[in-house]
Amino acid sequence: MQPCSREMQAMGIQELQNAAHDDFFDQMLSSLAPSWADLGNPKSPWDLAGKPQEDTSAEYGAPYDESSLLASRLRQHQISGGGGSGESPAAKAMGLPLAHHQQMMLSAGMGRSSAAGAGDGGLIPLPLSLGNGGSSDSRLLVDRSRDEVDAAFKPPNSTGGEGIYNGFTAGSAQRVAQAANQQHFQGAPIPSQSFGAAPPSGGAATQQPAAAPPRQRVRARRGQATDPHSIAERLRRERIAERMKALQELVPNANKTDKASMLDEIIDYVKFLQLQVKVLSMSRLGGAAAVAPLVADVSSEAGRSGGGGGGGSDSLAVTEHQVAKLMEEDMGSAMQYLQGKGLCLMPISLASAISSATARPTAGLIPPSLNNNNNNNGGGGGVDGPPSPSMSVLTVQSAMATGSDTMKDAASVSKP
Amino acid sequence: MKGGNPNPNPNSNPKKPLLANHFIQALTRINLAAQTSSTRQRSHCIKRAAYVSMACAAGSRRAWSRAMLQKIRLRSRVLRLPGDRRSIVSVVRREENRADVLRKLLPGGQAMEFSSLLEETASYIQYLSAQVRLMQTIVDSMFG
C-alpha cells in the first residue's frame, strides 16, 4: 500500500524498504514468493518484479494465500486482457516486488494509462488494502475479475476515466476521512494525490515513517474489516446506538438494556401519548380555550338540552333527564352526550368516595344505569325518578388519561 | 406563555409558546362553530387541531411534521372508508417487526431508514408530550 506506492514513486524500493521497514510490509513482500510458486506460470514482467523477493522467506504464508491465489488468478485475467505491454515498463521501471493486489492494480492502471499515454509516472495505483482483512481483499479482487479493467475500481471508487487514480485516491480519502480509521488508505491519499503532480519522493519518504507507526498498529490487527462497507456499517451502528440513548432519556421506564425491549417501550409510549391526545380532545368538548367562554358554553348547552328535555330549574337535573332518555334508547349516545358535557358515569360508591376525598359539600352523581338497584343516595333517580335537589355533577377528567390526577380533576360543576 | 406548564421540561425549548398559541386559537375557533357539529365531530376536530399545532410548532425541519401536515390537509377533503383499511391490514400483519410498527405510528415513517426513524421518533415524542401537557393544563385550569 502506501509504502509500496511510495516506493514506486521513488523508484528506489530498497531504500524505501529500509525506510518503511515494518514487519507487515516485510511479510507482504515475502508473501510474494509463495504466491509466485502458486502461480506456476510466470510472466515476464512479473518475474522481473518478483526476482528481488525470492530471497526473502515466506513468513506470512497461510492467511495470505487464498487472497494471493485469487489475486494471481485475477492478475492473469487482467494481464491477458489489459495492457500487457503497458505493465511491463512500469513494473520493470519500478523494479520492485509488488503485492498481488498492487500488481493487479498496476496492470489495470497500466492498461488505462497506456491508453491515455500517461506512462508510469502518474499512475501509481493504490492497493485498496493489503493483508489485513484478507476477506475484503479477496472480495474486491473477485469483483474486479468480474468486471472490466475499467470497472475494476468501481468497488473502491466509482469514478472512471483517466482521472481514476486521482479520483480514486480522492474518493478513498473522503471515505477514510469519514471513517476516521487508521487504515491503509490514510496515508495513501496524501502521497497519491501528489502522483498526478510531480511526485515528491522526499515528502513521501518523510511522511512515511511518521505515518508508519499508527498504520502499523492498525494493519497488524487481523480480522479488522477495512473495506468501505464495514466502515459504513460501523458508522450506522454507532449512529443508531446514540439515538437509542437519546430516546432512552425521553421515554420513562427506559432502563432496558436490550434493544428490542427498548423499542417495545418506545412504541408503547408513543401509542400511549397518542391515546392521551385523543382522550383529552374528547374530554374537552363543550369547553373553550378560556375559562369564561367555557362556562358560558356549558351553561348554554345545558340550557339548550334542558329546554328540550322538559324543564327543571336545575340544569343538572335537566342533564340527568336527558341522559336517562338517551340511555333508554342507546347507551353509546348517552355516553357521548355526557362526554360532550365533560361528564362521565360512575358507580355511586366511587363517587361518594371521591366526594368525601375532595371534601365537597354535596356530591351527586349520575348513577350508572347498570346499577339500578343502587341506593338513592346520590341521586339514583337518574333512571328512576327526579334526582335529589342539591346535586352537583362530578366531572372526572382524565381518569382514563392520567389516572393519577383523578382527584384533582374532579370538579363540581355547580349551577350558576 | 408556555401554557402554564408546571413541570419544567429539561428538553423545553422556545417552540412551546408557538404550540400553545396555535392550539388555543384553534380551540377557540372550534368552539365558536360548536353549535353546528356533533359531539364526535368536535372531538375529532380538537384532536386534529392538536396534531396540527404540534406539526406547526415543529415546523418543516422535521419529516414527521411535514408528513403530518400533508396527511391532515389531504384527509380534510377525502374521507377514507374504514372498511378497506381493515382488509389490507390482515394481510400485512404477518411479518411486522418492531421497526415497522414504529413506522406505522410515526407520520411519514414509511420512507425512513432506521437511524432517522429513531431521531424522528425522539422529536415526535417530545412534541407529543408537550401537547399532552398543554391540553392537560388547559383542562386543569378550566375544571380545577
Side-chain angles (χ1 to χ4, degrees):
Chain A
M1 24 187 250
Q2 296 91 354
C4 299
S5 51
R6 290 208 197 85
E7 291 168 359
M8 288 186 264
Q9 215 178 4
M11 307 280 186
I13 182 176
Q14 303 306 330
E15 64 192 64
L16 282 178
Q17 258 182 344
N18 300 334
H21 217 65
D22 31 339
D23 311 334
F24 188 86
F25 187 57
D26 279 346
Q27 290 167 355
M28 261 181 25
L29 295 177
S30 57
S31 70
L32 289 174
S35 326
W36 288 121
D38 288 341
L39 263 194
N41 45 350
K43 309 250 184 227
S44 53
W46 304 115
D47 276 349
L48 268 180
K51 272 200 185 109
Q53 300 312 315
E54 284 167 3
D55 47 4
T56 58
S57 57
E59 308 162 358
Y60 210 51
Y64 214 67
D65 275 347
E66 56 176 57
S67 58
S68 312
L69 275 171
L70 271 172
S72 55
R73 250 177 262 129
L74 286 166
R75 194 177 357 102
Q76 292 166 30
H77 164 82
Q78 282 182 352
I79 287 176
S80 52
S85 59
E87 62 202 18
S88 40
K92 281 179 196 153
M94 302 305 185
L96 58 90
L98 303 171
H100 299 289
H101 324 285
Q102 299 166 0
Q103 284 163 352
M104 260 183 12
M105 304 190 54
L106 189 54
S107 65
M110 286 307 137
R112 313 171 95 284
S113 66
S114 55
D120 55 7
L123 275 197
I124 316 298
L126 290 181
L128 286 182
S129 56
L130 293 175
N132 237 0
S135 59
S136 58
D137 288 343
S138 47
R139 200 177 355 168
L140 288 166
L141 302 178
V142 167
D143 283 344
R144 265 186 242 119
S145 70
R146 284 202 212 98
D147 307 332
E148 288 280 319
V149 173
D150 289 351
F153 288 94
K154 282 238 177 87
N157 188 4
S158 52
T159 65
E162 185 51 38
I164 187 173
Y165 293 105
N166 294 336
F168 163 64
T169 59
S172 65
Q174 290 168 10
R175 214 169 292 114
V176 166
Q178 290 166 8
N181 271 336
Q182 297 180 8
Q183 297 295 341
H184 311 293
F185 314 124
Q186 244 187 353
I190 311 164
S192 61
Q193 275 160 9
S194 60
F195 288 167
S201 58
T206 51
Q207 272 179 2
Q208 209 176 6
R215 279 205 316 272
Q216 178 185 15
R217 233 178 286 124
V218 170
R219 261 186 320 208
R221 243 185 307 176
R222 292 296 303 167
Q224 181 86 357
T226 58
D227 63 327
H229 304 288
S230 49
I231 293 176
E233 264 297 310
R234 206 180 318 149
L235 265 186
R236 176 177 171 268
R237 258 178 277 144
E238 284 169 7
R239 237 183 312 155
I240 287 182
E242 72 182 62
R243 284 184 192 162
M244 289 287 286
K245 254 199 309 188
L247 270 174
Q248 259 186 342
E249 300 169 11
L250 281 179
V251 175
N253 291 336
N255 45 5
K256 314 278 190 299
T257 51
D258 181 20
K259 196 169 86 161
S261 48
M262 194 57 220
L263 269 180
D264 280 337
E265 201 61 46
I266 291 171
I267 288 174
D268 287 340
Y269 191 57
V270 170
K271 283 195 205 164
F272 165 70
L273 285 177
Q274 285 176 340
L275 179 64
Q276 262 194 314
V277 169
K278 180 171 176 201
V279 162
L280 278 173
S281 68
M282 284 196 312
S283 72
R284 233 74 95 34
L285 291 179
V291 178
L294 168 64
V295 170
D297 274 329
V298 166
S299 47
S300 67
E301 270 194 0
R304 251 196 354 266
S305 54
S313 55
D314 200 352
S315 57
L316 276 181
V318 164
T319 305
E320 282 206 352
H321 280 286
Q322 197 68 17
V323 169
K325 236 186 286 187
L326 283 175
M327 277 200 278
E328 286 164 19
E329 37 183 282
D330 172 29
M331 204 52 207
S333 59
M335 294 300 294
Q336 278 180 6
Y337 176 80
L338 275 178
Q339 274 175 345
K341 298 197 159 299
L343 309 172
C344 76
L345 288 185
M346 64 166 48
I348 294 182
S349 50
L350 179 57
S352 35
I354 291 179
S355 65
S356 53
T358 54
R360 301 266 180 216
T362 52
L365 316 150
I366 297 184
S369 63
L370 319 166
N371 304 342
N372 276 345
N373 48 1
N374 258 356
N375 50 5
N376 297 331
N377 183 14
V383 178
D384 304 332
S388 51
S390 64
M391 191 172 48
S392 48
V393 178
L394 278 176
T395 70
V396 181
Q397 297 284 351
S398 67
M400 311 166 268
T402 60
S404 59
D405 290 336
T406 309
M407 300 306 176
K408 200 165 50 115
D409 294 340
S412 65
V413 180
S414 50
K415 292 300 110 187
Chain B
M1 209 246 315
K2 277 179 65 167
N5 190 358
N7 314 321
N9 188 9
N11 300 329
S12 66
N13 37 14
K15 66 184 182 258
K16 299 291 169 42
L18 201 62
L19 192 80
N21 281 342
H22 188 288
F23 185 60
I24 292 180
Q25 284 172 10
L27 262 189
T28 322
R29 198 172 48 229
I30 290 176
N31 284 304
L32 285 182
Q35 283 72 13
T36 54
S37 45
S38 74
T39 300
R40 198 161 59 99
Q41 245 179 334
R42 285 190 28 240
S43 75
H44 187 266
C45 282
I46 290 183
K47 187 175 81 155
R48 196 181 58 194
Y51 281 115
V52 166
S53 56
M54 264 174 64
C56 284
S60 34
R61 292 188 307 269
R62 287 289 168 190
W64 65 261
S65 63
R66 289 194 298 265
M68 184 186 276
L69 284 177
Q70 269 185 355
K71 186 175 63 167
I72 288 184
R73 277 165 197 162
L74 207 61
R75 201 189 286 181
S76 63
R77 300 162 197 186
V78 177
L79 282 179
R80 254 183 316 161
L81 298 174
D84 50 8
R85 210 189 312 166
R86 236 174 274 130
S87 59
I88 294 176
V89 161
S90 59
V91 172
V92 170
R93 194 159 282 181
R94 292 302 162 73
E95 314 232 346
E96 254 179 10
N97 62 351
R98 295 177 172 89
D100 292 338
V101 175
L102 196 53
R103 266 179 240 267
K104 278 199 315 193
L105 282 181
L106 202 69
Q110 300 291 340
M112 288 184 208
E113 40 173 44
F114 192 58
S115 56
S116 41
L117 183 71
L118 289 182
E119 189 182 344
E120 295 285 320
T121 302
S123 159
Y124 188 59
I125 286 182
Q126 250 186 315
Y127 278 87
L128 258 184
S129 49
Q131 179 72 37
V132 163
R133 271 200 306 269
L134 170 66
M135 290 165 89
Q136 187 66 58
T137 309
I138 293 180
V139 166
D140 286 345
S141 67
M142 286 198 311
F143 296 111

